[in-house]
Amino acid sequence: MILIGLTTWSDHSSLIHGKNRKVTLSEYAQHFPVVEVDNPFYGIPKIKTVENWQKQVPNNFQFILKANYLMTKHHLPQFGEDNEQVRRETFMRYGEMVDPLVNSKQLASVLFQFPPYFRLNNDNIRYLRLIREWMGSLPISIEFRNPSWYGDEISRDVHDYLKSLKMSEVVVDEPHNLSDGVPFEPFVTDKNFVMMRLYGQNQKGWLEKSSQWRKKRTLYRYNEDELKHFAEVANDLQKQAKVVCVIFNNNSGHDAADNALQLKKILGLNFGGLAPMQLDLF
């Protein structure tokens, strides 16, 4: 099964024919069967908020939720310093927050997107195991943003380790070189689920260091040849994993929705009108 979606639901005006307003979740869910939600990264939503999301989508709709910044060891001064006890409590509150999605089988995965300074070392290897311990049996996807996790023999060892932890390594498409960014490595570490996250290939914007870097880094529109390549990769991954999820994050110029719809057409996918039914992923 291949699912296609976007990061957030509100910033894709082409889904409502360019109307000058935010897209609602229910409008978004008429086009795609999955969405990635970044709200939990900044603050864990209330259970009532999650339940309200569920009311706006069909029963088969899936959510990918970003892990909270404390869970991914981000250093964000505006949020203050954290400690191990606070981190453990954050994991507990996060687990309670996702309960409604778990119970309805609508939690596709919890995305741990680590910061660029989360390097391959013994402490961080141990931390991955601690994450599995604290998250229990919840589905987990891991996105590394530091190139130290990649390399011929290194990648193989990392893949094997993630397999042992039943974690899915995210397949990332982004600009990269030897010292910045990560390569595109289609690989399945969890036979239940694998995710591709597509940022685009705006090399100049990706390395932008000005105050406007967030607005420029994903300013990229994939062409048809690139999308056909992703379609081939998704089909290959589908032979190894029960669910392949493709998330477009190239939205600085509002290109993500259009590209996602293009890929859907290339793959000949029909999500069944998103009829209310259970996908029963896990």
Side-chain angles (χ1 to χ4, degrees), residues 72-76 114-119 121 124 145-146:
T72 51
K73 292 193 170 184
H74 274 77
H75 304 322
L76 302 179
F114 289 105
Y117 44 83
F118 188 84
R119 299 183 56 83
N121 58 41
N124 288 336
R145 301 172 69 190
N146 187 291

Side-chain angles (χ1 to χ4, degrees), residues 92-133:
M92 292 178 63
R93 289 192 294 115
Y94 197 99
E96 294 171 355
M97 179 266 295
V98 300
D99 265 348
L101 297 179
V102 173
N103 294 336
S104 63
K105 298 183 179 179
Q106 289 181 294
L107 179 65
S109 192
V110 177
L111 170 62
F112 282 75
Q113 184 190 48
F114 289 105
Y117 44 83
F118 188 84
R119 299 183 56 83
L120 173 60
N121 58 41
N122 289 334
D123 285 343
N124 288 336
I125 288 173
R126 284 192 290 268
Y127 185 62
L128 290 175
R129 185 170 294 281
L130 189 59
I131 287 173
R132 172 46 76 199
E133 177 184 333

Side-chain angles (χ1 to χ4, degrees), residues 176-189:
H176 66 278
N177 53 40
L178 292 177
S179 60
D180 185 71
V182 299
F184 183 75
E185 287 191 0
F187 198 89
V188 173
T189 60

Side-chain angles (χ1 to χ4, degrees), residues 140-160:
I140 295 173
S141 293
I142 300 293
E143 180 178 339
F144 297 119
R145 301 172 69 190
N146 187 291
S148 64
W149 296 90
Y150 294 83
D152 293 339
E153 293 187 6
I154 293 174
S155 289
R156 185 169 59 249
D157 290 343
V158 170
H159 294 160
D160 288 343

Side-chain angles (χ1 to χ4, degrees), residues 39-214:
N39 303 46
F41 176 81
Y42 302 99
I44 298 176
K46 296 180 180 179
I47 292 178
K48 287 185 178 180
T49 299
V50 177
E51 291 173 339
N52 184 50
W53 295 342
Q54 292 176 292
K55 293 176 182 177
Q56 301 176 60
V57 298
N59 293 342
N60 65 332
F61 191 88
Q62 298 292 302
F63 292 88
I64 297 168
L65 301 187
K66 270 194 174 182
N68 185 261
Y69 73 95
L70 290 175
M71 298 161 69
T72 51
K73 292 193 170 184
H74 274 77
H75 304 322
L76 302 179
Q78 65 268 38
F79 290 107
E81 295 297 324
D82 65 278
N83 57 50
E84 201 66 20
Q85 180 60 32
V86 172
R87 181 173 288 116
R88 177 64 185 271
E89 292 173 356
T90 301
F91 271 86
M92 292 178 63
R93 289 192 294 115
Y94 197 99
E96 294 171 355
M97 179 266 295
V98 300
D99 265 348
L101 297 179
V102 173
N103 294 336
S104 63
K105 298 183 179 179
Q106 289 181 294
L107 179 65
S109 192
V110 177
L111 170 62
F112 282 75
Q113 184 190 48
F114 289 105
Y117 44 83
F118 188 84
R119 299 183 56 83
L120 173 60
N121 58 41
N122 289 334
D123 285 343
N124 288 336
I125 288 173
R126 284 192 290 268
Y127 185 62
L128 290 175
R129 185 170 294 281
L130 189 59
I131 287 173
R132 172 46 76 199
E133 177 184 333
W134 286 352
M135 293 291 282
S137 60
L138 292 178
I140 295 173
S141 293
I142 300 293
E143 180 178 339
F144 297 119
R145 301 172 69 190
N146 187 291
S148 64
W149 296 90
Y150 294 83
D152 293 339
E153 293 187 6
I154 293 174
S155 289
R156 185 169 59 249
D157 290 343
V158 170
H159 294 160
D160 288 343
Y161 186 58
L162 293 180
K163 284 181 180 179
S164 72
L165 297 176
K166 296 183 179 180
M167 294 178 173
S168 177
E169 182 171 359
V170 177
V171 179
V172 179
D173 183 67
E174 66 180 32
H176 66 278
N177 53 40
L178 292 177
S179 60
D180 185 71
V182 299
F184 183 75
E185 287 191 0
F187 198 89
V188 173
T189 60
D190 182 346
K191 64 181 181 180
N192 286 315
F193 182 86
V194 61
M195 173 166 43
M196 296 168 58
R197 295 188 82 240
L198 311 179
Y199 291 95
Q201 286 293 328
N202 181 4
Q203 184 80 27
K204 182 178 179 180
W206 194 258
L207 300 175
E208 176 71 60
K209 301 301 181 183
S210 73
S211 60
Q212 300 297 311
W213 69 273
R214 288 188 181 276

